[in-house]
Structures are given as C-alpha cells and as structure tokens.
Coordinates of all heavy atoms in Angstrom, one line a residue:
I23 N 5.1 -13.5 -0.1 CA 6.3 -13.9 -0.8 C 6.8 -15.1 0.0 O 7.8 -15.0 0.8 CB 7.4 -12.7 -0.8 CG1 6.7 -11.5 -1.4 CG2 8.5 -13.1 -1.7 CD1 7.7 -10.3 -1.5
V24 N 6.2 -16.2 -0.3 CA 6.5 -17.4 0.5 C 6.7 -18.6 -0.4 O 5.9 -18.8 -1.3 CB 5.3 -17.7 1.5 CG1 5.6 -18.9 2.3 CG2 5.1 -16.5 2.5
L25 N 7.7 -19.3 -0.1 CA 8.0 -20.5 -0.9 C 7.7 -21.7 0.1 O 8.4 -21.7 1.2 CB 9.4 -20.6 -1.5 CG 9.7 -21.8 -2.3 CD1 8.8 -21.9 -3.5 CD2 11.2 -21.8 -2.7
G26 N 6.9 -22.6 -0.2 CA 6.5 -23.6 0.8 C 5.7 -23.0 1.9 O 6.1 -23.1 3.1
M27 N 4.6 -22.3 1.6 CA 3.9 -21.5 2.5 C 3.4 -22.3 3.7 O 3.4 -21.9 4.9 CB 2.7 -20.8 1.9 CG 2.0 -19.8 2.8 SD 0.5 -19.3 2.1 CE -0.4 -20.8 1.9
L28 N 2.9 -23.5 3.5 CA 2.3 -24.3 4.5 C 3.3 -24.7 5.6 O 3.1 -24.7 6.8 CB 1.6 -25.6 4.0 CG 0.4 -25.3 3.1 CD1 -0.2 -26.7 2.6 CD2 -0.7 -24.6 3.9
L29 N 4.6 -24.9 5.1 CA 5.7 -25.2 6.0 C 5.9 -24.0 6.9 O 6.1 -24.1 8.1 CB 6.9 -25.6 5.3 CG 8.2 -25.9 6.1 CD1 7.9 -27.0 7.1 CD2 9.4 -26.2 5.2
S30 N 6.0 -22.8 6.3 CA 6.3 -21.6 7.0 C 5.2 -21.4 8.0 O 5.4 -20.9 9.1 CB 6.3 -20.4 6.0 OG 7.4 -20.6 5.1
M31 N 3.9 -21.6 7.6 CA 2.8 -21.4 8.6 C 2.9 -22.3 9.8 O 2.6 -21.9 10.9 CB 1.4 -21.6 7.9 CG 1.1 -20.5 6.9 SD -0.3 -20.8 5.9 CE -1.6 -20.7 7.2
T32 N 3.4 -23.5 9.6 CA 3.6 -24.4 10.7 C 4.6 -23.9 11.6 O 4.5 -24.0 12.8 CB 3.9 -25.8 10.1 OG1 2.9 -26.3 9.3 CG2 4.2 -26.8 11.3
N33 N 5.7 -23.3 11.0 CA 6.8 -22.8 11.8 C 6.3 -21.7 12.7 O 6.8 -21.5 13.8 CB 8.0 -22.4 11.0 CG 8.7 -23.6 10.3 OD1 8.6 -24.7 10.8 ND2 9.4 -23.3 9.2
W34 N 5.4 -20.8 12.2 CA 5.0 -19.7 13.0 C 3.9 -20.1 14.0 O 3.5 -19.4 14.8 CB 4.3 -18.7 12.0 CG 5.3 -17.9 11.3 CD1 6.5 -17.4 11.8 CD2 5.3 -17.4 9.9 NE1 7.2 -16.7 10.8 CE2 6.4 -16.7 9.6 CE3 4.3 -17.6 8.9 CZ2 6.7 -16.1 8.4 CZ3 4.6 -17.0 7.7 CH2 5.8 -16.3 7.4
G35 N 3.4 -21.3 13.9 CA 2.3 -21.8 14.8 C 1.0 -21.2 14.4 O 0.1 -21.0 15.2
L36 N 0.8 -21.0 13.1 CA -0.5 -20.4 12.6 C -1.5 -21.5 12.3 O -1.1 -22.6 11.8 CB -0.3 -19.6 11.3 CG 0.5 -18.3 11.5 CD1 0.8 -17.7 10.2 CD2 -0.4 -17.3 12.3
T37 N -2.8 -21.2 12.5 CA -3.8 -22.0 12.0 C -3.8 -22.0 10.5 O -3.8 -21.0 9.9 CB -5.2 -21.5 12.5 OG1 -5.2 -21.5 13.9 CG2 -6.3 -22.4 12.0
Q38 N -3.7 -23.2 9.9 CA -3.6 -23.2 8.5 C -5.0 -22.8 7.9 O -6.0 -23.1 8.4 CB -3.2 -24.7 8.0 CG -1.8 -25.0 8.4 CD -1.4 -26.3 7.7 OE1 -2.1 -26.8 6.8 NE2 -0.3 -26.8 8.1
D39 N -4.9 -22.1 6.8 CA -6.1 -21.7 6.1 C -6.8 -22.9 5.5 O -6.2 -23.6 4.7 CB -5.7 -20.7 4.9 CG -6.8 -19.9 4.4 OD1 -7.9 -20.4 4.5 OD2 -6.6 -18.8 4.0
T40 N -8.0 -23.2 6.0 CA -8.7 -24.4 5.7 C -9.4 -24.3 4.4 O -10.1 -25.2 3.9 CB -9.6 -24.8 6.8 OG1 -10.5 -23.7 7.0 CG2 -8.9 -25.1 8.0
S41 N -9.3 -23.1 3.7 CA -10.0 -23.0 2.4 C -9.4 -23.9 1.4 O -8.2 -24.1 1.3 CB -9.9 -21.6 1.9 OG -10.3 -20.7 2.9
S42 N -10.2 -24.5 0.5 CA -9.7 -25.5 -0.4 C -9.1 -24.8 -1.6 O -9.7 -23.9 -2.2 CB -10.9 -26.4 -1.0 OG -11.5 -27.0 0.1
P43 N -7.8 -25.2 -2.0 CA -7.1 -24.5 -3.1 C -7.6 -25.0 -4.4 O -6.8 -25.7 -5.1 CB -5.7 -24.8 -2.8 CG -5.7 -26.1 -2.1 CD -7.0 -26.1 -1.3
T44 N -8.8 -24.7 -4.8 CA -9.3 -25.2 -6.1 C -9.6 -24.0 -7.0 O -9.7 -22.9 -6.6 CB -10.6 -26.0 -5.9 OG1 -11.6 -25.1 -5.4 CG2 -10.5 -27.1 -4.9
S45 N -9.6 -24.2 -8.3 CA -9.8 -23.1 -9.3 C -11.3 -22.7 -9.3 O -11.5 -21.6 -9.5 CB -9.3 -23.6 -10.6 OG -10.0 -24.7 -11.1
E46 N -12.2 -23.6 -9.1 CA -13.6 -23.3 -9.3 C -14.2 -22.9 -7.9 O -15.2 -22.2 -7.9 CB -14.4 -24.5 -9.8 CG -14.0 -24.8 -11.3 CD -12.8 -25.7 -11.3 OE1 -12.4 -26.2 -10.3 OE2 -12.2 -25.9 -12.4
G47 N -13.6 -23.4 -6.8 CA -14.2 -23.1 -5.5 C -15.4 -24.0 -5.2 O -15.6 -25.0 -5.9
L48 N -16.1 -23.7 -4.2 CA -17.3 -24.5 -3.8 C -18.5 -24.1 -4.5 O -18.7 -22.9 -4.8 CB -17.4 -24.4 -2.3 CG -16.2 -24.9 -1.4 CD1 -16.6 -24.8 0.1 CD2 -15.7 -26.2 -1.8
S49 N -19.4 -25.0 -4.7 CA -20.7 -24.7 -5.3 C -21.6 -24.1 -4.2 O -21.3 -24.2 -3.0 CB -21.4 -25.9 -5.9 OG -21.7 -26.8 -4.9
A50 N -22.7 -23.5 -4.6 CA -23.7 -23.0 -3.7 C -24.2 -24.1 -2.8 O -24.4 -23.9 -1.6 CB -24.8 -22.3 -4.4
E51 N -24.4 -25.3 -3.3 CA -24.9 -26.4 -2.5 C -23.8 -26.9 -1.5 O -24.2 -27.2 -0.4 CB -25.2 -27.6 -3.5 CG -26.4 -27.4 -4.4 CD -26.1 -26.5 -5.6 OE1 -24.9 -26.2 -5.9 OE2 -27.1 -26.0 -6.2
Q52 N -22.6 -26.9 -1.9 CA -21.5 -27.2 -0.9 C -21.4 -26.2 0.2 O -21.3 -26.6 1.4 CB -20.2 -27.4 -1.6 CG -20.1 -28.6 -2.6 CD -18.8 -28.6 -3.4 OE1 -18.5 -27.6 -4.0 NE2 -18.1 -29.7 -3.4
I53 N -21.5 -25.0 -0.2 CA -21.4 -23.9 0.9 C -22.6 -24.0 1.8 O -22.5 -23.8 3.1 CB -21.4 -22.5 0.2 CG1 -20.1 -22.3 -0.5 CG2 -21.6 -21.4 1.2 CD1 -20.0 -21.1 -1.3
A54 N -23.8 -24.3 1.3 CA -25.0 -24.4 2.1 C -24.9 -25.5 3.2 O -25.5 -25.5 4.2 CB -26.2 -24.6 1.3
E55 N -24.1 -26.5 2.9 CA -23.9 -27.7 3.8 C -22.9 -27.4 4.9 O -22.8 -28.2 5.9 CB -23.4 -28.9 3.0 CG -24.5 -29.5 2.0 CD -24.0 -30.6 1.2 OE1 -22.8 -30.9 1.3 OE2 -24.7 -31.2 0.4
I56 N -22.2 -26.3 4.8 CA -21.2 -26.0 5.8 C -21.9 -25.3 7.0 O -22.5 -24.3 6.8 CB -20.1 -25.1 5.3 CG1 -19.3 -25.8 4.1 CG2 -19.1 -24.7 6.4 CD1 -18.3 -24.9 3.4
P57 N -21.7 -25.8 8.2 CA -22.4 -25.2 9.4 C -21.8 -23.8 9.6 O -20.7 -23.5 9.5 CB -22.0 -26.1 10.5 CG -21.6 -27.4 9.9 CD -21.0 -27.1 8.6
V58 N -22.8 -22.9 9.8 CA -22.4 -21.5 10.1 C -22.2 -21.3 11.6 O -23.0 -21.7 12.4 CB -23.5 -20.5 9.6 CG1 -23.2 -19.1 10.0 CG2 -23.7 -20.6 8.1
V59 N -21.0 -20.8 11.9 CA -20.6 -20.4 13.3 C -20.8 -18.9 13.5 O -20.1 -18.2 12.8 CB -19.2 -20.9 13.6 CG1 -18.9 -20.5 15.1 CG2 -19.1 -22.4 13.4
E60 N -21.6 -18.5 14.4 CA -21.8 -17.1 14.5 C -20.8 -16.5 15.5 O -20.5 -17.2 16.6 CB -23.3 -16.8 15.1 CG -24.4 -17.2 14.1 CD -24.4 -16.4 12.9 OE1 -23.8 -15.3 12.9 OE2 -25.0 -16.8 11.9
F61 N -20.3 -15.4 15.2 CA -19.3 -14.7 16.1 C -20.1 -13.6 16.8 O -20.8 -12.8 16.1 CB -18.1 -14.1 15.3 CG -17.1 -15.2 14.9 CD1 -17.5 -16.5 14.7 CD2 -15.8 -14.8 14.7 CE1 -16.5 -17.4 14.3 CE2 -14.8 -15.7 14.4 CZ -15.2 -17.0 14.1
E62 N -19.9 -13.4 18.1 CA -20.6 -12.4 18.8 C -19.7 -11.1 18.7 O -18.6 -11.1 19.1 CB -20.7 -12.8 20.3 CG -21.4 -11.7 21.1 CD -21.4 -12.0 22.6 OE1 -20.9 -13.1 23.0 OE2 -21.8 -11.1 23.4
R63 N -20.3 -10.0 18.3 CA -19.6 -8.8 18.1 C -19.6 -8.0 19.4 O -20.6 -8.0 20.2 CB -20.2 -7.9 17.0 CG -19.4 -6.6 16.8 CD -20.2 -5.7 15.8 NE -20.3 -6.3 14.5 CZ -19.4 -6.3 13.5 NH1 -18.2 -5.7 13.8 NH2 -19.6 -6.8 12.4
L64 N -18.5 -7.4 19.8 CA -18.5 -6.6 21.0 C -19.3 -5.3 20.7 O -19.1 -4.6 19.7 CB -17.0 -6.1 21.3 CG -16.8 -5.1 22.4 CD1 -17.2 -5.7 23.7 CD2 -15.3 -4.7 22.4
P65 N -20.3 -5.0 21.5 CA -21.2 -3.8 21.2 C -20.4 -2.6 21.3 O -19.5 -2.4 22.2 CB -22.2 -3.9 22.3 CG -22.2 -5.3 22.8 CD -20.8 -5.8 22.7
A66 N -20.6 -1.7 20.3 CA -19.9 -0.4 20.4 C -20.4 0.4 21.6 O -21.6 0.5 21.7 CB -20.2 0.4 19.1
N67 N -19.5 0.9 22.3 CA -19.9 1.7 23.6 C -19.9 3.2 23.2 O -18.9 3.9 23.3 CB -18.8 1.4 24.7 CG -19.2 1.9 26.0 OD1 -19.9 3.0 26.1 ND2 -18.9 1.2 27.1

C-alpha cells in the first residue's frame, strides 16, 4: 500500500527492484542474455 513506491524505497535504503515494469515482460531471448549469478546455499547440517 504505497504511493510513490520508488521514493519510499529510497527512504528506507532498499535496493530498488531492478525488474522492468512492462506488461509483456522479457522474451526468452532477452532472459538468455542475462548473466546468471549462482548463490551458494548453506549446507543443511
């Protein structure tokens, strides 16, 4: 429930959501061009 969400996010010091606000989104080709960054999971002990 946010009016002017990007301004509010800046006030909180949040990383802005870099997803593109488009209706169709990205194509499979565009997604394939985005470098994948792997996150290391903490092994379950």
Side-chain angles (χ1 to χ4, degrees):
I23 306 178
V24 180
L25 183 62
M27 185 191 62
L28 294 181
L29 177 59
S30 298
M31 289 173 68
T32 301
N33 290 338
W34 285 319
L36 291 170
T37 301
Q38 293 189 9
D39 199 328
T40 54
S41 311
S42 302
T44 65
S45 58
E46 296 82 12
L48 303 184
S49 67
E51 291 76 15
Q52 289 173 312
I53 291 174
E55 292 176 356
I56 298 175
V58 173
V59 178
E60 297 294 342
F61 283 29
E62 178 188 356
R63 185 186 296 276
L64 175 65
N67 190 326

